[in-house]
Amino acid sequence: MALSKLLMFLATVSLAMAQLSLAKNSPKTFLDIHNKYRAVDGVKPLVWNKTLEGIAVKYSTKKSTNCEMVHSDGPYGENLAQGSGDFGAAEAIKLWVDEKNYYDYESNTCSIGEIACGHYTQVVWNTTTDVGCGRVQCKNNDWWFITCNYYPPGNYVGERPF
């Protein structure tokens, strides 16, 4: 009897952890985190787009075989991230937004040589209205691969993000 109670307890804990992980990486979570950072720069909020989500999930699934950080070159704006352990929406978006430290608004360029800031500018691009993201575990290790797609895309040469 004690063994069956222990097994039921472990199953309940596992289910609760899985639900927490799903909530932590839900469309609402991806959207809320994007919009939190956009609000900091005074940019209007995004809406969730199921079509973009489907594209992101499909691409993340395709890349999950080797988790190569290669863009799809599709018609949408796109940010990619990967990480191990509990890597999810919050961690990926923070990686992108941390590039704000390298963005110089006055010159509309990255302020430190070759360091990228285009992930940040895509997150806060003022004419972008929609986002959809996908998160898939890599098959070759314990890492996660995340893709977010944006419509309309940003990062047009000569234009400012906001």
Side-chain angles (χ1 to χ4, degrees):
M1 187 62 131
L3 181 60
S4 66
K5 286 184 179 181
L6 177 61
L7 290 175
M8 182 164 329
F9 171 75
L10 291 174
T12 302
V13 169
S14 293
L15 180 60
M17 289 178 72
Q19 288 173 335
L20 181 62
S21 178
L22 287 174
K24 176 181 178 273
N25 295 293
S26 70
K28 181 179 179 349
T29 300
F30 273 101
L31 182 63
D32 288 350
I33 295 169
H34 270 90
N35 287 334
K36 175 183 82 167
Y37 287 118
R38 288 173 67 86
V40 168
D41 288 323
V43 182
K44 65 184 179 287
L46 299 172
V47 297
W48 191 256
N49 184 306
K50 296 286 282 175
T51 300
L52 293 177
E53 176 187 16
I55 292 165
V57 168
K58 184 176 179 179
Y59 189 68
S60 291
T61 301
K62 176 182 175 184
K63 297 311 294 177
S64 72
T65 57
N66 61 15
C67 280
E68 244 183 339
M69 294 291 287
V70 176
H71 284 280
S72 69
D73 295 324
Y76 306 105
E78 181 179 74
N79 282 343
L80 306 176
Q82 63 177 314
S84 62
D86 200 25
F87 187 80
E91 295 79 14
I93 299 167
K94 183 179 182 318
L95 279 176
W96 302 329
V97 172
D98 280 351
E99 292 178 2
K100 180 178 185 174
N101 297 325
Y102 307 113
Y103 178 68
D104 178 54
Y105 187 81
E106 291 299 315
S107 65
N108 194 31
T109 61
C110 292
S111 60
I112 301 178
E114 296 297 313
I115 295 177
C117 61
H119 301 100
Y120 158 68
T121 55
Q122 178 58 81
V123 169
V124 298
W125 200 263
N126 68 346
T127 59
T128 297
T129 58
D130 295 36
V131 65
C133 303
R135 175 181 180 261
V136 176
Q137 187 157 24
C138 299
K139 293 180 179 21
N140 62 344
N141 55 37
D142 70 338
W143 286 48
W144 293 91
F145 192 90
I146 294 176
T147 304
C148 286
N149 288 319
Y150 303 87
Y151 178 82
N155 291 330
Y156 291 105
V157 175
E159 292 185 27
R160 296 186 186 279
F162 49 85

